[in-house]
Amino acid sequence: MPNKKSIFLFVLSMTCTTFAGDMEGKEKINIEHPEVWELLVSIDDKRVEYILYTPTVANSLITGEVAFVDDTLQGLEDAVYDTPVLLNEYKRVRVVVHSQHFVLLPEETSDEDAMKLVRLSFPDQDVDAAVCTMPHHGVKIAYMMPHGMQAFLGRTFTYPSVCHHLMPLCEYFMEQNRGSEISRMFLNLQEGKMDMAIYRKGEFLCANTYPFANVEDATYFVLNAWRTHGMDQLTDELQLMGDNAVRAAMTPELRKFVKFVMPAVYPAAAMQLGRNAMQAPHELILLALCE
Protein backbone atom coordinates (compact mmCIF):
# COMPACT_ATOMS: atom_id res chain seq x y z
CA MET A 1 0.00 0.00 0.00
CA PRO A 2 1.58 3.33 -1.03
CA ASN A 3 2.04 5.86 1.76
CA LYS A 4 0.55 9.37 1.76
CA LYS A 5 3.81 10.96 0.63
CA SER A 6 4.14 8.73 -2.44
CA ILE A 7 0.49 9.38 -3.35
CA PHE A 8 1.06 13.14 -3.05
CA LEU A 9 4.16 13.00 -5.27
CA PHE A 10 2.33 10.94 -7.86
CA VAL A 11 -0.59 13.37 -7.93
CA LEU A 12 1.81 16.30 -8.07
CA SER A 13 3.58 14.76 -11.06
CA MET A 14 0.25 14.56 -12.86
CA THR A 15 -0.91 18.12 -12.15
CA CYS A 16 1.25 19.67 -14.84
CA THR A 17 -0.61 19.14 -18.07
CA THR A 18 0.07 20.41 -21.55
CA PHE A 19 -2.78 20.74 -24.00
CA ALA A 20 -3.79 22.46 -27.20
CA GLY A 21 -5.70 25.58 -26.32
CA ASP A 22 -7.04 28.81 -27.63
CA MET A 23 -7.93 29.94 -31.09
CA GLU A 24 -4.41 31.10 -31.81
CA GLY A 25 -3.21 27.52 -31.39
CA LYS A 26 -0.91 28.34 -28.46
CA GLU A 27 0.13 25.61 -26.09
CA LYS A 28 -1.20 26.03 -22.55
CA ILE A 29 0.39 24.68 -19.40
CA ASN A 30 -1.56 24.28 -16.19
CA ILE A 31 0.47 24.08 -12.99
CA GLU A 32 -1.29 23.13 -9.80
CA HIS A 33 0.59 23.72 -6.53
CA PRO A 34 3.05 26.24 -8.09
CA GLU A 35 4.44 26.85 -4.61
CA VAL A 36 6.54 23.68 -4.95
CA TRP A 37 7.76 24.43 -8.49
CA GLU A 38 10.70 26.51 -9.70
CA LEU A 39 10.63 28.83 -12.70
CA LEU A 40 13.75 29.81 -14.65
CA VAL A 41 13.44 32.38 -17.44
CA SER A 42 15.92 33.41 -20.14
CA ILE A 43 15.40 36.76 -21.88
CA ASP A 44 17.16 37.95 -25.02
CA ASP A 45 16.13 40.54 -27.59
CA LYS A 46 13.95 38.13 -29.56
CA ARG A 47 12.24 35.72 -27.19
CA VAL A 48 11.54 34.49 -23.69
CA GLU A 49 12.51 30.89 -22.97
CA TYR A 50 11.65 29.17 -19.72
CA ILE A 51 11.82 25.93 -17.82
CA LEU A 52 9.66 24.71 -14.95
CA TYR A 53 10.45 21.84 -12.61
CA THR A 54 9.89 20.65 -9.08
CA PRO A 55 12.77 19.02 -7.20
CA THR A 56 10.31 16.67 -5.48
CA VAL A 57 9.39 14.87 -8.72
CA ALA A 58 11.84 13.27 -11.12
CA ASN A 59 11.37 14.04 -14.82
CA SER A 60 9.09 16.99 -14.05
CA LEU A 61 10.89 19.37 -16.44
CA ILE A 62 8.70 21.48 -18.73
CA THR A 63 10.17 23.80 -21.36
CA GLY A 64 8.59 26.67 -23.24
CA GLU A 65 9.31 29.61 -25.48
CA VAL A 66 7.47 32.73 -26.60
CA ALA A 67 8.72 35.19 -29.22
CA PHE A 68 8.53 38.98 -29.01
CA VAL A 69 6.32 40.85 -31.45
CA ASP A 70 9.10 43.47 -31.43
CA ASP A 71 12.38 43.97 -29.54
CA THR A 72 11.09 46.70 -27.20
CA LEU A 73 10.34 46.51 -23.48
CA GLN A 74 6.65 46.59 -24.39
CA GLY A 75 7.24 43.57 -26.61
CA LEU A 76 8.78 41.72 -23.64
CA GLU A 77 5.92 42.69 -21.35
CA ASP A 78 3.31 41.54 -23.85
CA ALA A 79 5.12 38.21 -24.35
CA VAL A 80 5.21 37.54 -20.61
CA TYR A 81 1.65 38.68 -19.86
CA ASP A 82 0.37 36.57 -22.76
CA THR A 83 1.94 33.49 -21.13
CA PRO A 84 -0.10 32.89 -17.95
CA VAL A 85 2.09 30.03 -16.70
CA LEU A 86 4.89 32.58 -16.10
CA LEU A 87 2.73 34.59 -13.70
CA ASN A 88 2.13 32.02 -10.95
CA GLU A 89 3.69 32.43 -7.51
CA TYR A 90 6.43 29.84 -7.59
CA LYS A 91 8.73 28.56 -4.88
CA ARG A 92 11.63 30.33 -6.59
CA VAL A 93 12.06 32.42 -9.73
CA ARG A 94 15.41 32.98 -11.43
CA VAL A 95 15.87 35.14 -14.50
CA VAL A 96 18.79 35.11 -16.94
CA VAL A 97 19.28 38.28 -19.00
CA HIS A 98 21.29 38.12 -22.23
CA SER A 99 23.39 41.26 -22.58
CA GLN A 100 26.34 42.05 -24.83
CA HIS A 101 27.14 45.19 -22.80
CA PHE A 102 28.99 44.06 -19.68
CA VAL A 103 32.30 44.25 -17.82
CA LEU A 104 34.04 41.71 -15.58
CA LEU A 105 35.33 43.10 -12.28
CA PRO A 106 37.01 41.77 -9.12
CA GLU A 107 34.50 40.38 -6.64
CA GLU A 108 35.50 42.95 -4.00
CA THR A 109 34.25 45.80 -6.22
CA SER A 110 31.14 47.30 -4.65
CA ASP A 111 27.91 46.95 -6.60
CA GLU A 112 27.62 50.74 -6.76
CA ASP A 113 31.10 51.12 -8.26
CA ALA A 114 30.49 48.21 -10.64
CA MET A 115 27.36 49.86 -12.02
CA LYS A 116 29.21 53.16 -12.42
CA LEU A 117 31.99 51.41 -14.33
CA VAL A 118 29.68 49.64 -16.75
CA ARG A 119 27.89 52.91 -17.45
CA LEU A 120 31.24 54.60 -18.15
CA SER A 121 32.18 51.73 -20.47
CA PHE A 122 28.98 52.12 -22.49
CA PRO A 123 28.00 55.81 -22.22
CA ASP A 124 25.04 57.61 -23.77
CA GLN A 125 22.62 54.70 -23.45
CA ASP A 126 19.27 54.86 -21.71
CA VAL A 127 19.57 51.53 -19.89
CA ASP A 128 19.46 49.88 -16.48
CA ALA A 129 22.67 48.65 -14.88
CA ALA A 130 22.80 45.46 -12.79
CA VAL A 131 25.39 43.28 -11.07
CA CYS A 132 25.72 39.57 -10.36
CA THR A 133 28.53 37.49 -8.87
CA MET A 134 30.33 34.44 -10.25
CA PRO A 135 31.30 32.97 -6.86
CA HIS A 136 33.62 30.22 -8.17
CA HIS A 137 35.56 32.81 -10.18
CA GLY A 138 35.93 35.62 -7.65
CA VAL A 139 34.44 37.92 -10.29
CA LYS A 140 31.42 40.19 -10.66
CA ILE A 141 29.61 40.89 -13.91
CA ALA A 142 28.19 44.40 -14.27
CA TYR A 143 25.84 44.49 -17.22
CA MET A 144 23.19 46.54 -18.93
CA MET A 145 19.59 45.81 -19.82
CA PRO A 146 16.87 47.94 -21.44
CA HIS A 147 15.60 50.81 -19.32
CA GLY A 148 12.62 49.70 -17.24
CA MET A 149 13.35 45.97 -17.45
CA GLN A 150 14.50 45.68 -13.82
CA ALA A 151 11.30 47.29 -12.56
CA PHE A 152 9.22 45.07 -14.83
CA LEU A 153 10.90 41.88 -13.60
CA GLY A 154 10.49 42.96 -9.98
CA ARG A 155 6.76 43.68 -10.22
CA THR A 156 5.94 40.70 -12.47
CA PHE A 157 7.77 37.82 -10.79
CA THR A 158 7.89 36.82 -7.13
CA TYR A 159 11.20 38.08 -5.70
CA PRO A 160 13.20 37.08 -8.80
CA SER A 161 16.94 36.48 -8.66
CA VAL A 162 18.43 38.02 -11.82
CA CYS A 163 21.82 37.26 -13.39
CA HIS A 164 23.79 37.74 -16.59
CA HIS A 165 23.65 34.81 -19.01
CA LEU A 166 27.39 34.12 -18.74
CA MET A 167 27.20 33.41 -15.01
CA PRO A 168 25.72 29.86 -15.04
CA LEU A 169 27.76 28.90 -18.11
CA CYS A 170 31.08 30.05 -16.63
CA GLU A 171 30.34 28.54 -13.22
CA TYR A 172 29.81 25.17 -14.89
CA PHE A 173 32.90 25.52 -17.08
CA MET A 174 35.00 26.36 -14.01
CA GLU A 175 33.86 23.18 -12.31
CA GLN A 176 34.73 21.16 -15.41
CA ASN A 177 38.19 22.72 -15.54
CA ARG A 178 39.08 22.77 -11.85
CA GLY A 179 42.57 21.42 -11.15
CA SER A 180 43.33 20.84 -14.82
CA GLU A 181 46.86 21.17 -16.21
CA ILE A 182 45.39 21.75 -19.68
CA SER A 183 44.26 25.12 -20.98
CA ARG A 184 40.75 25.06 -22.39
CA MET A 185 38.38 27.27 -24.33
CA PHE A 186 34.67 26.54 -23.92
CA LEU A 187 32.05 27.68 -26.44
CA ASN A 188 28.28 27.72 -26.08
CA LEU A 189 27.05 27.94 -29.69
CA GLN A 190 23.64 29.18 -30.77
CA GLU A 191 22.30 30.34 -34.10
CA GLY A 192 23.93 33.72 -34.75
CA LYS A 193 25.76 34.03 -31.43
CA MET A 194 28.24 32.29 -29.17
CA ASP A 195 29.48 32.53 -25.60
CA MET A 196 33.15 31.94 -24.81
CA ALA A 197 35.14 31.25 -21.65
CA ILE A 198 38.89 30.58 -21.45
CA TYR A 199 40.83 28.92 -18.62
CA ARG A 200 44.59 28.41 -18.37
CA LYS A 201 45.46 25.40 -16.21
CA GLY A 202 42.38 25.88 -14.06
CA GLU A 203 42.65 29.68 -13.81
CA PHE A 204 39.99 31.89 -15.35
CA LEU A 205 41.27 34.20 -18.10
CA CYS A 206 38.25 35.77 -19.80
CA ALA A 207 34.66 35.40 -20.94
CA ASN A 208 32.83 37.07 -23.77
CA THR A 209 29.81 36.79 -26.04
CA TYR A 210 29.83 37.37 -29.80
CA PRO A 211 27.18 37.76 -32.48
CA PHE A 212 28.18 36.30 -35.85
CA ALA A 213 26.74 36.21 -39.35
CA ASN A 214 28.24 32.92 -40.53
CA VAL A 215 30.57 30.07 -39.61
CA GLU A 216 33.59 31.83 -41.10
CA ASP A 217 33.08 34.89 -38.90
CA ALA A 218 32.58 32.72 -35.82
CA THR A 219 35.76 30.77 -36.58
CA TYR A 220 37.69 34.02 -36.93
CA PHE A 221 36.51 35.26 -33.52
CA VAL A 222 37.48 31.96 -31.90
CA LEU A 223 40.95 31.81 -33.44
CA ASN A 224 41.64 35.45 -32.68
CA ALA A 225 40.85 34.86 -29.00
CA TRP A 226 42.84 31.61 -29.07
CA ARG A 227 45.91 33.43 -30.35
CA THR A 228 45.45 36.49 -28.10
CA HIS A 229 45.49 34.33 -24.98
CA GLY A 230 48.50 32.28 -26.08
CA MET A 231 46.77 28.93 -26.37
CA ASP A 232 48.54 25.98 -27.99
CA GLN A 233 46.97 24.53 -31.14
CA LEU A 234 48.52 21.09 -30.52
CA THR A 235 47.93 20.51 -26.81
CA ASP A 236 45.08 22.73 -25.55
CA GLU A 237 41.38 21.86 -25.85
CA LEU A 238 38.43 23.54 -27.49
CA GLN A 239 35.14 22.22 -26.08
CA LEU A 240 31.77 22.94 -27.68
CA MET A 241 28.21 22.84 -26.39
CA GLY A 242 24.92 24.31 -27.56
CA ASP A 243 22.90 24.03 -30.77
CA ASN A 244 23.64 20.75 -32.58
CA ALA A 245 23.46 22.20 -36.09
CA VAL A 246 25.82 25.06 -35.27
CA ARG A 247 28.25 22.69 -33.56
CA ALA A 248 28.20 20.37 -36.57
CA ALA A 249 29.02 23.28 -38.87
CA MET A 250 31.73 24.76 -36.63
CA THR A 251 33.60 21.59 -35.64
CA PRO A 252 35.26 20.76 -38.98
CA GLU A 253 36.26 24.40 -39.49
CA LEU A 254 37.87 24.62 -36.06
CA ARG A 255 39.66 21.28 -36.50
CA LYS A 256 41.57 22.79 -39.41
CA PHE A 257 43.45 24.91 -36.85
CA VAL A 258 43.10 23.23 -33.42
CA LYS A 259 43.93 19.57 -32.84
CA PHE A 260 41.62 18.86 -29.89
CA VAL A 261 38.08 20.04 -30.71
CA MET A 262 35.42 18.05 -28.86
CA PRO A 263 31.96 18.22 -27.31
CA ALA A 264 31.80 19.63 -23.80
CA VAL A 265 30.58 17.23 -21.13
CA TYR A 266 26.85 17.57 -20.57
CA PRO A 267 25.95 17.32 -16.85
CA ALA A 268 24.43 13.93 -16.09
CA ALA A 269 22.43 15.47 -13.23
CA ALA A 270 20.44 17.46 -15.79
CA MET A 271 18.71 14.30 -16.99
CA GLN A 272 17.17 13.89 -13.54
CA LEU A 273 15.18 17.06 -14.22
CA GLY A 274 13.61 15.56 -17.32
CA ARG A 275 14.30 13.59 -20.46
CA ASN A 276 13.97 16.74 -22.56
CA ALA A 277 16.69 18.62 -20.65
CA MET A 278 19.02 18.65 -23.64
CA GLN A 279 16.43 20.61 -25.65
CA ALA A 280 16.26 23.37 -23.02
CA PRO A 281 18.54 26.44 -23.05
CA HIS A 282 21.87 25.40 -21.57
CA GLU A 283 22.15 28.46 -19.34
CA LEU A 284 18.83 27.60 -17.68
CA ILE A 285 19.67 23.93 -17.12
CA LEU A 286 23.07 24.84 -15.68
CA LEU A 287 21.49 27.49 -13.46
CA ALA A 288 18.99 24.91 -12.21
CA LEU A 289 21.95 22.77 -11.13
CA CYS A 290 23.65 25.70 -9.34
CA GLU A 291 22.54 25.46 -5.72
Side-chain angles (χ1 to χ4, degrees), residues 78-93:
D78 292 343
V80 172
Y81 290 140
D82 287 344
T83 311
V85 73
L86 298 177
L87 305 178
N88 289 327
E89 293 192 12
Y90 292 102
K91 175 184 177 182
R92 180 165 55 165
V93 178

Side-chain angles (χ1 to χ4, degrees), residues 172-173 176 186-187 238-241 247 262-267:
Y172 176 70
F173 294 149
Q176 293 300 297
F186 295 89
L187 299 178
L238 179 49
Q239 296 196 12
L240 313 180
M241 68 189 314
R247 281 195 300 156
M262 62 196 71
V265 176
Y266 191 79

Side-chain angles (χ1 to χ4, degrees), residues 53 99 101 135 152 159 204-205 273:
Y53 73 98
S99 173
H101 294 153
F152 166 70
Y159 303 109
F204 175 62
L205 291 183
L273 299 176

